[in-house]
Amino acid sequence: MTDPKWWGWGGAERRGAVAAEALEMLTELLGPPRRSPPVALDQVRVADPAPLPDSIRDVIGSDHVLTGREDRIRHATGKSYPDLVRLRSGEIEDAPDAVVEPGCHDEVAAVLDACTRENVAVVPFGGGTSVVGGVDPARGSFERVIALDLGRMRSAGVDRRSLTARLGPGLRGPDAERALGAAGVTLGHFPQSFEHATIGGFAATRSAGQASSGYGRFDRMVTAVRLAAPAGELRTIDTPHSAAGPALRELIVGSEGVLGVITEVTACVRPRPEERRYEAWIAPEFASGVEIVRELAQQRVLPDVVRLSDRNETRVSLALSGMGGAVRRLLDGYLRLRRQARGCILITGWEGTSEAVGLRRALATRALRSGGAVALGARPGRSWYRGRFEGPYLRDELLDLSYMVETLETAHTWTRLGELYHAVSGAIRDALQAQGTPGLVFAHVSHAYPDGASLYFTVLAAQRVGHELEQWRAVKRAASEAIVRTGGTITHHHAIGRDHRPYIRDEIGELGVEAIAAVKARLDPAGIMNPGKLLA
Ligand SMILES: Cc1cc2nc3c(=O)[nH]c(=O)nc-3n(C[C@H](O)[C@H](O)[C@H](O)COP(=O)(O)OP(=O)(O)OC[C@H]3O[C@@H](n4cnc5c(N)ncnc54)[C@H](O)[C@@H]3O)c2cc1C
């Protein structure tokens, strides 16, 4: 792979293709495309770095302190829509003064020590795929800020008997799976950002992968963690469970770099699946599809992957798949015949031994059929599986055509999921309408539990040229306020970062915020760790 695009997703050779049918649909619904390529790297405006104290170079060696323009720009943002807008226009707000690359726990500890003494803010940086401003080089009250890139910390060791693996924080998804694959095991954690996000990032944000219904979210996989905090080391022991007071592990997982740096993660693994079976179904409509997923979850027969698209997402994904001509007419005809013309796509996936896949699939199939779902077979399921990491490549193409592509997520109980769905999609639509850029809002359910599920929204609209960030802010505010009003969580798996910070009090209350702040004050007395994130 060539170097990842500094302004987008993945290597420059990987281009997503916008199918002709999709472009026609976007033109009709949102207005015609307008080409707007990213600026050249040398046009990005970035201030000269503030000089770093020698003590940081002394503890880690000059080779691992990068102050080049490109390195700083590559560590200046995450990969959210507003981040890409800023990068593509060359108007990033700030960049770290240096990128520091420790190679082990002790080097991390030594860097944190030097930064505490010298008053330098530290932003832990994994894959830099945050979509909530989590790696923003915010300075807070500090004059200097470094990005602490953990990419050199890529150790991996498997305890085959206990089915656990001890993993370095800098391992990216594919590296981790390669190392685990050599021992015949897998984490089963496949978020859409899998290709670039890291183990440390997964733990620090409580990430949820596409197969979370079967394998569990990442925070559920973690059995032990090691944290280098400015005040010292915090380590939990590797046992299946402990009743030794409140779980420190839980405090570290999801701490988003504000308490310290996660330098090692021990996680549960599973034998690599002998069989993977992916299928597609059509539910009569979104509400009845939601009922099917609820039944699957409450009867404890959830497939490992379950993903129900609403009507708009079903239409858009069919258009984007480029499935045209005779095949499309056949599918449409078949669905009309089965009275499913308003149907919603439901992807199911099972992984494991052939016998377990067969048994679990049989149980789930009964619930799917009794809820009125119609089987479309394995071909569209396999096609979803093949394309499951393609979304962000396509986002780059749509940005090139001046379309806004924003995604956000939340979760609620089954009782209030429908209310949340309508409140958030309505609020986003109104916010776009008010700006003269009516948009397309769609959603899917993809992480299901016996008591509720997540909702993942995608927003497409023509960009307000010259006012892209203002347009995004209005949408984000409207969606977040609707989530808070409806009592949903401000984030099911993207974390708080910078963008959700105004809403954390609504979720955990003043005392909750103060309790986390008190822990931070003990672990990071100088407040150098990731200023401006998670806590106000
Ligand atoms: C296209 C796209 C698709 C995505 N899909 C998903 C998805 O399906 N599921 C999902 O859960 N998320 C998804 N995300 C969000 C993002 O990928 C996750 O939050 C991921 O866990 C971040 O990992 P990272 O290594 O890139 O972390 P970074 O972006 O580098 O960091 C994220 C936060 O964690 C902190 N951090 C990173 N490493 C450490 C460490 N070792 N110690 C302490 N703090 C640390 C950072 O300071 C920051 O606050 C997606 C993002 C994009 C751009």
Side-chain angles (χ1 to χ4, degrees), residues 425-470:
S425 40
I428 298 172
R429 258 185 233 110
D430 290 350
L432 286 169
Q433 189 80 42
Q435 297 183 78
T437 52
L440 193 57
V441 184
F442 46 88
H444 62 249
V445 168
S446 53
H447 306 282
Y449 309 89
D451 54 340
S454 71
L455 282 172
Y456 186 97
F457 292 89
T458 303
V459 184
L460 296 178
Q463 284 184 322
R464 272 185 69 202
V465 179
H467 301 276
E468 294 87 354
L469 291 176
E470 203 183 305

mmCIF file of all heavy atoms in Angstrom, residues 425-470:
data_model
loop_
_atom_site.group_PDB
_atom_site.id
_atom_site.type_symbol
_atom_site.label_atom_id
_atom_site.label_comp_id
_atom_site.label_asym_id
_atom_site.label_seq_id
_atom_site.Cartn_x
_atom_site.Cartn_y
_atom_site.Cartn_z
ATOM 1 N N SER A 425 -33.759 11.597 13.323
ATOM 2 C CA SER A 425 -33.803 11.825 11.876
ATOM 3 C C SER A 425 -34.585 13.100 11.553
ATOM 4 O O SER A 425 -34.194 13.863 10.662
ATOM 5 C CB SER A 425 -34.319 10.598 11.106
ATOM 6 O OG SER A 425 -35.372 10.000 11.779
ATOM 7 N N GLY A 426 -35.661 13.368 12.320
ATOM 8 C CA GLY A 426 -36.438 14.596 12.087
ATOM 9 C C GLY A 426 -35.599 15.835 12.371
ATOM 10 O O GLY A 426 -35.601 16.803 11.598
ATOM 11 N N ALA A 427 -34.846 15.814 13.476
ATOM 12 C CA ALA A 427 -34.039 16.983 13.857
ATOM 13 C C ALA A 427 -32.970 17.256 12.787
ATOM 14 O O ALA A 427 -32.709 18.414 12.439
ATOM 15 C CB ALA A 427 -33.381 16.737 15.210
ATOM 16 N N ILE A 428 -32.365 16.200 12.264
ATOM 17 C CA ILE A 428 -31.321 16.403 11.239
ATOM 18 C C ILE A 428 -31.953 16.970 9.966
ATOM 19 O O ILE A 428 -31.440 17.925 9.367
ATOM 20 C CB ILE A 428 -30.583 15.080 10.920
ATOM 21 C CG1 ILE A 428 -29.872 14.543 12.159
ATOM 22 C CG2 ILE A 428 -29.605 15.275 9.775
ATOM 23 C CD1 ILE A 428 -29.275 13.151 11.996
ATOM 24 N N ARG A 429 -33.070 16.393 9.585
ATOM 25 C CA ARG A 429 -33.741 16.877 8.372
ATOM 26 C C ARG A 429 -34.092 18.363 8.508
ATOM 27 O O ARG A 429 -33.841 19.157 7.597
ATOM 28 C CB ARG A 429 -35.013 16.058 8.109
ATOM 29 C CG ARG A 429 -34.796 15.035 7.032
ATOM 30 C CD ARG A 429 -36.075 14.306 6.673
ATOM 31 N NE ARG A 429 -35.816 12.894 6.771
ATOM 32 C CZ ARG A 429 -36.297 12.071 7.693
ATOM 33 N NH1 ARG A 429 -37.142 12.504 8.600
ATOM 34 N NH2 ARG A 429 -35.954 10.819 7.696
ATOM 35 N N ASP A 430 -34.652 18.732 9.659
ATOM 36 C CA ASP A 430 -35.036 20.141 9.873
ATOM 37 C C ASP A 430 -33.805 21.048 9.819
ATOM 38 O O ASP A 430 -33.847 22.139 9.253
ATOM 39 C CB ASP A 430 -35.721 20.312 11.239
ATOM 40 C CG ASP A 430 -37.101 19.659 11.246
ATOM 41 O OD1 ASP A 430 -37.570 19.255 10.160
ATOM 42 O OD2 ASP A 430 -37.686 19.533 12.342
ATOM 43 N N ALA A 431 -32.707 20.585 10.440
ATOM 44 C CA ALA A 431 -31.495 21.431 10.474
ATOM 45 C C ALA A 431 -30.960 21.641 9.059
ATOM 46 O O ALA A 431 -30.490 22.737 8.716
ATOM 47 C CB ALA A 431 -30.432 20.781 11.351
ATOM 48 N N LEU A 432 -31.040 20.628 8.238
ATOM 49 C CA LEU A 432 -30.547 20.770 6.856
ATOM 50 C C LEU A 432 -31.477 21.675 6.049
ATOM 51 O O LEU A 432 -31.032 22.539 5.289
ATOM 52 C CB LEU A 432 -30.436 19.392 6.190
ATOM 53 C CG LEU A 432 -29.253 18.542 6.659
ATOM 54 C CD1 LEU A 432 -29.391 17.105 6.155
ATOM 55 C CD2 LEU A 432 -27.926 19.140 6.164
ATOM 56 N N GLN A 433 -32.767 21.434 6.235
ATOM 57 C CA GLN A 433 -33.781 22.236 5.527
ATOM 58 C C GLN A 433 -33.594 23.720 5.849
ATOM 59 O O GLN A 433 -33.627 24.577 4.965
ATOM 60 C CB GLN A 433 -35.166 21.755 5.979
ATOM 61 C CG GLN A 433 -36.328 22.317 5.196
ATOM 62 C CD GLN A 433 -36.511 21.578 3.874
ATOM 63 O OE1 GLN A 433 -36.401 20.357 3.838
ATOM 64 N NE2 GLN A 433 -36.737 22.321 2.800
ATOM 65 N N ALA A 434 -33.376 24.013 7.137
ATOM 66 C CA ALA A 434 -33.246 25.407 7.580
ATOM 67 C C ALA A 434 -32.062 26.098 6.903
ATOM 68 O O ALA A 434 -32.020 27.320 6.814
ATOM 69 C CB ALA A 434 -33.080 25.457 9.090
ATOM 70 N N GLN A 435 -31.110 25.303 6.434
ATOM 71 C CA GLN A 435 -29.936 25.905 5.784
ATOM 72 C C GLN A 435 -30.043 25.897 4.263
ATOM 73 O O GLN A 435 -29.084 26.193 3.558
ATOM 74 C CB GLN A 435 -28.687 25.133 6.190
ATOM 75 C CG GLN A 435 -28.441 25.237 7.669
ATOM 76 C CD GLN A 435 -27.167 24.523 8.030
ATOM 77 O OE1 GLN A 435 -26.083 25.048 7.823
ATOM 78 N NE2 GLN A 435 -27.312 23.314 8.483
ATOM 79 N N GLY A 436 -31.205 25.475 3.790
ATOM 80 C CA GLY A 436 -31.407 25.459 2.335
ATOM 81 C C GLY A 436 -30.720 24.289 1.647
ATOM 82 O O GLY A 436 -30.521 24.310 0.429
ATOM 83 N N THR A 437 -30.335 23.264 2.418
ATOM 84 C CA THR A 437 -29.707 22.083 1.804
ATOM 85 C C THR A 437 -30.429 20.821 2.272
ATOM 86 O O THR A 437 -29.886 20.059 3.072
ATOM 87 C CB THR A 437 -28.216 21.985 2.193
ATOM 88 O OG1 THR A 437 -28.120 22.063 3.634
ATOM 89 C CG2 THR A 437 -27.380 23.059 1.565
ATOM 90 N N PRO A 438 -31.669 20.619 1.811
ATOM 91 C CA PRO A 438 -32.400 19.437 2.269
ATOM 92 C C PRO A 438 -31.584 18.179 1.996
ATOM 93 O O PRO A 438 -30.912 18.093 0.963
ATOM 94 C CB PRO A 438 -33.683 19.460 1.447
ATOM 95 C CG PRO A 438 -33.480 20.477 0.383
ATOM 96 C CD PRO A 438 -32.374 21.381 0.797
ATOM 97 N N GLY A 439 -31.637 17.253 2.937
ATOM 98 C CA GLY A 439 -30.728 16.108 2.793
ATOM 99 C C GLY A 439 -31.436 14.780 2.878
ATOM 100 O O GLY A 439 -32.660 14.693 3.008
ATOM 101 N N LEU A 440 -30.631 13.761 2.795
ATOM 102 C CA LEU A 440 -31.107 12.390 2.887
ATOM 103 C C LEU A 440 -30.551 11.837 4.206
ATOM 104 O O LEU A 440 -29.341 11.887 4.433
ATOM 105 C CB LEU A 440 -30.540 11.619 1.699
ATOM 106 C CG LEU A 440 -31.097 10.264 1.369
ATOM 107 C CD1 LEU A 440 -32.597 10.336 1.133
ATOM 108 C CD2 LEU A 440 -30.408 9.735 0.109
ATOM 109 N N VAL A 441 -31.449 11.366 5.067
ATOM 110 C CA VAL A 441 -31.011 10.838 6.366
ATOM 111 C C VAL A 441 -31.418 9.380 6.427
ATOM 112 O O VAL A 441 -32.568 9.050 6.124
ATOM 113 C CB VAL A 441 -31.710 11.591 7.520
ATOM 114 C CG1 VAL A 441 -31.192 11.106 8.872
ATOM 115 C CG2 VAL A 441 -31.524 13.087 7.376
ATOM 116 N N PHE A 442 -30.496 8.510 6.750
ATOM 117 C CA PHE A 442 -30.889 7.105 6.903
ATOM 118 C C PHE A 442 -30.154 6.471 8.056
ATOM 119 O O PHE A 442 -29.214 7.047 8.612
ATOM 120 C CB PHE A 442 -30.728 6.323 5.606
ATOM 121 C CG PHE A 442 -29.442 6.509 4.858
ATOM 122 C CD1 PHE A 442 -28.354 5.715 5.141
ATOM 123 C CD2 PHE A 442 -29.334 7.464 3.853
ATOM 124 C CE1 PHE A 442 -27.175 5.856 4.445
ATOM 125 C CE2 PHE A 442 -28.154 7.615 3.140
ATOM 126 C CZ PHE A 442 -27.070 6.807 3.431
ATOM 127 N N ALA A 443 -30.637 5.289 8.443
ATOM 128 C CA ALA A 443 -30.100 4.687 9.672
ATOM 129 C C ALA A 443 -30.102 3.171 9.587
ATOM 130 O O ALA A 443 -30.801 2.582 8.757
ATOM 131 C CB ALA A 443 -30.948 5.127 10.860
ATOM 132 N N HIS A 444 -29.290 2.563 10.440
ATOM 133 C CA HIS A 444 -29.386 1.116 10.634
ATOM 134 C C HIS A 444 -29.222 0.750 12.106
ATOM 135 O O HIS A 444 -28.676 1.519 12.893
ATOM 136 C CB HIS A 444 -28.394 0.342 9.752
ATOM 137 C CG HIS A 444 -26.945 0.623 10.017
ATOM 138 N ND1 HIS A 444 -26.129 1.291 9.139
ATOM 139 C CD2 HIS A 444 -26.159 0.301 11.061
ATOM 140 C CE1 HIS A 444 -24.907 1.367 9.631
ATOM 141 N NE2 HIS A 444 -24.891 0.770 10.802
ATOM 142 N N VAL A 445 -29.736 -0.419 12.422
ATOM 143 C CA VAL A 445 -29.536 -1.015 13.747
ATOM 144 C C VAL A 445 -28.446 -2.060 13.548
ATOM 145 O O VAL A 445 -28.563 -2.904 12.660
ATOM 146 C CB VAL A 445 -30.824 -1.734 14.206
ATOM 147 C CG1 VAL A 445 -30.553 -2.596 15.438
ATOM 148 C CG2 VAL A 445 -31.927 -0.729 14.496
ATOM 149 N N SER A 446 -27.351 -1.987 14.334
ATOM 150 C CA SER A 446 -26.303 -2.976 14.084
ATOM 151 C C SER A 446 -25.676 -3.561 15.339
ATOM 152 O O SER A 446 -24.860 -4.467 15.244
ATOM 153 C CB SER A 446 -25.212 -2.382 13.193
ATOM 154 O OG SER A 446 -24.749 -1.188 13.743
ATOM 155 N N HIS A 447 -26.001 -3.052 16.499
ATOM 156 C CA HIS A 447 -25.489 -3.653 17.728
ATOM 157 C C HIS A 447 -26.713 -3.884 18.603
ATOM 158 O O HIS A 447 -27.344 -2.916 19.038
ATOM 159 C CB HIS A 447 -24.494 -2.724 18.431
ATOM 160 C CG HIS A 447 -23.378 -2.280 17.524
ATOM 161 N ND1 HIS A 447 -22.309 -3.084 17.217
ATOM 162 C CD2 HIS A 447 -23.193 -1.135 16.837
ATOM 163 C CE1 HIS A 447 -21.491 -2.442 16.390
ATOM 164 N NE2 HIS A 447 -22.005 -1.246 16.139
ATOM 165 N N ALA A 448 -27.069 -5.142 18.794
ATOM 166 C CA ALA A 448 -28.322 -5.446 19.482
ATOM 167 C C ALA A 448 -28.059 -6.178 20.790
ATOM 168 O O ALA A 448 -27.086 -6.925 20.913
ATOM 169 C CB ALA A 448 -29.204 -6.290 18.583
ATOM 170 N N TYR A 449 -28.924 -5.926 21.761
ATOM 171 C CA TYR A 449 -28.823 -6.513 23.105
ATOM 172 C C TYR A 449 -30.232 -6.931 23.517
ATOM 173 O O TYR A 449 -31.215 -6.437 22.957
ATOM 174 C CB TYR A 449 -28.317 -5.459 24.095
ATOM 175 C CG TYR A 449 -27.054 -4.744 23.661
ATOM 176 C CD1 TYR A 449 -27.119 -3.583 22.880
ATOM 177 C CD2 TYR A 449 -25.802 -5.236 24.017
ATOM 178 C CE1 TYR A 449 -25.957 -2.931 22.472
ATOM 179 C CE2 TYR A 449 -24.638 -4.583 23.618
ATOM 180 C CZ TYR A 449 -24.725 -3.437 22.841
ATOM 181 O OH TYR A 449 -23.576 -2.796 22.435
ATOM 182 N N PRO A 450 -30.338 -7.750 24.559
ATOM 183 C CA PRO A 450 -31.687 -8.114 24.999
ATOM 184 C C PRO A 450 -32.528 -6.900 25.413
ATOM 185 O O PRO A 450 -33.743 -6.903 25.261
ATOM 186 C CB PRO A 450 -31.422 -9.028 26.203
ATOM 187 C CG PRO A 450 -30.073 -9.614 25.925
ATOM 188 C CD PRO A 450 -29.291 -8.537 25.239
ATOM 189 N N ASP A 451 -31.889 -5.826 25.896
ATOM 190 C CA ASP A 451 -32.682 -4.682 26.372
ATOM 191 C C ASP A 451 -32.737 -3.495 25.414
ATOM 192 O O ASP A 451 -33.394 -2.501 25.694
ATOM 193 C CB ASP A 451 -32.155 -4.206 27.743
ATOM 194 C CG ASP A 451 -30.666 -3.898 27.719
ATOM 195 O OD1 ASP A 451 -29.970 -4.392 26.813
ATOM 196 O OD2 ASP A 451 -30.196 -3.149 28.595
ATOM 197 N N GLY A 452 -32.048 -3.551 24.320
ATOM 198 C CA GLY A 452 -32.096 -2.415 23.392
ATOM 199 C C GLY A 452 -31.095 -2.574 22.261
ATOM 200 O O GLY A 452 -30.549 -3.664 22.050
ATOM 201 N N ALA A 453 -30.850 -1.467 21.549
ATOM 202 C CA ALA A 453 -29.952 -1.559 20.385
ATOM 203 C C ALA A 453 -29.393 -0.183 20.067
ATOM 204 O O ALA A 453 -29.864 0.836 20.577
ATOM 205 C CB ALA A 453 -30.721 -2.091 19.176
ATOM 206 N N SER A 454 -28.394 -0.173 19.195
ATOM 207 C CA SER A 454 -27.836 1.098 18.743
ATOM 208 C C SER A 454 -28.529 1.525 17.451
ATOM 209 O O SER A 454 -29.109 0.701 16.733
ATOM 210 C CB SER A 454 -26.333 0.943 18.473
ATOM 211 O OG SER A 454 -26.149 0.157 17.313
ATOM 212 N N LEU A 455 -28.456 2.817 17.180
ATOM 213 C CA LEU A 455 -28.914 3.352 15.891
ATOM 214 C C LEU A 455 -27.741 4.101 15.292
ATOM 215 O O LEU A 455 -27.093 4.900 15.988
ATOM 216 C CB LEU A 455 -30.065 4.336 16.089
ATOM 217 C CG LEU A 455 -31.441 3.761 16.358
ATOM 218 C CD1 LEU A 455 -32.409 4.895 16.715
ATOM 219 C CD2 LEU A 455 -31.968 2.997 15.139
ATOM 220 N N TYR A 456 -27.463 3.880 14.027
ATOM 221 C CA TYR A 456 -26.328 4.526 13.352
ATOM 222 C C TYR A 456 -26.898 5.312 12.171
ATOM 223 O O TYR A 456 -27.492 4.729 11.263
ATOM 224 C CB TYR A 456 -25.375 3.438 12.871
ATOM 225 C CG TYR A 456 -24.087 3.932 12.276
ATOM 226 C CD1 TYR A 456 -22.925 3.992 13.053
ATOM 227 C CD2 TYR A 456 -24.007 4.320 10.939
ATOM 228 C CE1 TYR A 456 -21.731 4.430 12.503
ATOM 229 C CE2 TYR A 456 -22.813 4.762 10.392
ATOM 230 C CZ TYR A 456 -21.682 4.807 11.170
ATOM 231 O OH TYR A 456 -20.494 5.222 10.637
ATOM 232 N N PHE A 457 -26.758 6.623 12.229
ATOM 233 C CA PHE A 457 -27.346 7.490 11.206
ATOM 234 C C PHE A 457 -26.289 7.928 10.190
ATOM 235 O O PHE A 457 -25.144 8.208 10.561
ATOM 236 C CB PHE A 457 -27.921 8.759 11.832
ATOM 237 C CG PHE A 457 -29.123 8.508 12.690
ATOM 238 C CD1 PHE A 457 -28.976 8.213 14.047
ATOM 239 C CD2 PHE A 457 -30.397 8.541 12.156
ATOM 240 C CE1 PHE A 457 -30.079 7.960 14.843
ATOM 241 C CE2 PHE A 457 -31.515 8.304 12.944
ATOM 242 C CZ PHE A 457 -31.348 8.000 14.304
ATOM 243 N N THR A 458 -26.678 8.018 8.941
ATOM 244 C CA THR A 458 -25.835 8.622 7.912
ATOM 245 C C THR A 458 -26.607 9.801 7.329
ATOM 246 O O THR A 458 -27.823 9.714 7.128
ATOM 247 C CB THR A 458 -25.500 7.605 6.799
ATOM 248 O OG1 THR A 458 -24.863 6.481 7.400
ATOM 249 C CG2 THR A 458 -24.573 8.202 5.750
ATOM 250 N N VAL A 459 -25.894 10.901 7.093
ATOM 251 C CA VAL A 459 -26.516 12.117 6.573
ATOM 252 C C VAL A 459 -25.830 12.479 5.269
ATOM 253 O O VAL A 459 -24.600 12.603 5.232
ATOM 254 C CB VAL A 459 -26.313 13.291 7.562
ATOM 255 C CG1 VAL A 459 -27.029 14.536 7.080
ATOM 256 C CG2 VAL A 459 -26.748 12.911 8.965
ATOM 257 N N LEU A 460 -26.606 12.637 4.216
ATOM 258 C CA LEU A 460 -26.052 13.090 2.934
ATOM 259 C C LEU A 460 -26.744 14.391 2.552
ATOM 260 O O LEU A 460 -27.971 14.498 2.674
ATOM 261 C CB LEU A 460 -26.308 12.066 1.825
ATOM 262 C CG LEU A 460 -25.654 10.688 1.935
ATOM 263 C CD1 LEU A 460 -26.068 9.811 0.755
ATOM 264 C CD2 LEU A 460 -24.143 10.829 1.961
ATOM 265 N N ALA A 461 -25.987 15.367 2.106
ATOM 266 C CA ALA A 461 -26.586 16.634 1.658
ATOM 267 C C ALA A 461 -25.584 17.327 0.751
ATOM 268 O O ALA A 461 -24.389 17.003 0.789
ATOM 269 C CB ALA A 461 -26.901 17.531 2.852
ATOM 270 N N ALA A 462 -26.079 18.274 -0.042
ATOM 271 C CA ALA A 462 -25.141 19.110 -0.805
ATOM 272 C C ALA A 462 -24.418 19.978 0.212
ATOM 273 O O ALA A 462 -25.031 20.473 1.163
ATOM 274 C CB ALA A 462 -25.910 19.979 -1.791
ATOM 275 N N GLN A 463 -23.109 20.154 0.035
ATOM 276 C CA GLN A 463 -22.378 21.006 0.977
ATOM 277 C C GLN A 463 -22.771 22.470 0.784
ATOM 278 O O GLN A 463 -23.018 22.901 -0.347
ATOM 279 C CB GLN A 463 -20.870 20.879 0.749
ATOM 280 C CG GLN A 463 -20.290 19.600 1.283
ATOM 281 C CD GLN A 463 -18.775 19.549 1.124
ATOM 282 O OE1 GLN A 463 -18.239 20.002 0.115
ATOM 283 N NE2 GLN A 463 -18.098 18.981 2.093
ATOM 284 N N ARG A 464 -22.824 23.227 1.881
ATOM 285 C CA ARG A 464 -22.968 24.690 1.767
ATOM 286 C C ARG A 464 -21.570 25.217 1.520
ATOM 287 O O ARG A 464 -20.777 25.372 2.461
ATOM 288 C CB ARG A 464 -23.496 25.270 3.071
ATOM 289 C CG ARG A 464 -25.001 25.287 3.159
ATOM 290 C CD ARG A 464 -25.411 25.981 4.431
ATOM 291 N NE ARG A 464 -25.118 27.403 4.393
ATOM 292 C CZ ARG A 464 -24.986 28.162 5.477
ATOM 293 N NH1 ARG A 464 -25.113 27.643 6.672
ATOM 294 N NH2 ARG A 464 -24.717 29.453 5.363
ATOM 295 N N VAL A 465 -21.284 25.475 0.261
ATOM 296 C CA VAL A 465 -19.897 25.791 -0.103
ATOM 297 C C VAL A 465 -19.416 27.048 0.632
ATOM 298 O O VAL A 465 -20.099 28.075 0.641
ATOM 299 C CB VAL A 465 -19.794 25.955 -1.636
ATOM 300 C CG1 VAL A 465 -18.371 26.306 -2.040
ATOM 301 C CG2 VAL A 465 -20.239 24.669 -2.313
ATOM 302 N N GLY A 466 -18.273 26.942 1.260
ATOM 303 C CA GLY A 466 -17.720 28.054 2.041
ATOM 304 C C GLY A 466 -18.230 28.049 3.472
ATOM 305 O O GLY A 466 -17.706 28.774 4.320
ATOM 306 N N HIS A 467 -19.296 27.272 3.740
ATOM 307 C CA HIS A 467 -19.865 27.228 5.106
ATOM 308 C C HIS A 467 -20.034 25.782 5.551
ATOM 309 O O HIS A 467 -20.965 25.446 6.267
ATOM 310 C CB HIS A 467 -21.230 27.928 5.134
ATOM 311 C CG HIS A 467 -21.172 29.350 4.702
ATOM 312 N ND1 HIS A 467 -20.835 30.370 5.564
ATOM 313 C CD2 HIS A 467 -21.367 29.911 3.493
ATOM 314 C CE1 HIS A 467 -20.830 31.514 4.880
ATOM 315 N NE2 HIS A 467 -21.150 31.264 3.632
ATOM 316 N N GLU A 468 -19.132 24.924 5.112
ATOM 317 C CA GLU A 468 -19.298 23.487 5.374
ATOM 318 C C GLU A 468 -19.300 23.170 6.866
ATOM 319 O O GLU A 468 -20.076 22.334 7.334
ATOM 320 C CB GLU A 468 -18.175 22.678 4.698
ATOM 321 C CG GLU A 468 -18.185 22.715 3.181
ATOM 322 C CD GLU A 468 -17.427 23.914 2.622
ATOM 323 O OE1 GLU A 468 -16.986 24.768 3.429
ATOM 324 O OE2 GLU A 468 -17.280 24.006 1.393
ATOM 325 N N LEU A 469 -18.405 23.837 7.615
ATOM 326 C CA LEU A 469 -18.307 23.498 9.036
ATOM 327 C C LEU A 469 -19.524 24.018 9.809
ATOM 328 O O LEU A 469 -20.027 23.364 10.716
ATOM 329 C CB LEU A 469 -17.009 24.059 9.641
ATOM 330 C CG LEU A 469 -15.744 23.351 9.124
ATOM 331 C CD1 LEU A 469 -14.488 24.013 9.690
ATOM 332 C CD2 LEU A 469 -15.746 21.868 9.476
ATOM 333 N N GLU A 470 -19.997 25.198 9.401
ATOM 334 C CA GLU A 470 -21.202 25.761 10.021
ATOM 335 C C GLU A 470 -22.396 24.823 9.782
ATOM 336 O O GLU A 470 -23.179 24.534 10.687
ATOM 337 C CB GLU A 470 -21.461 27.097 9.330
ATOM 338 C CG GLU A 470 -22.264 28.099 10.081
ATOM 339 C CD GLU A 470 -22.464 29.312 9.167
ATOM 340 O OE1 GLU A 470 -21.446 29.867 8.667
ATOM 341 O OE2 GLU A 470 -23.614 29.649 8.927
#
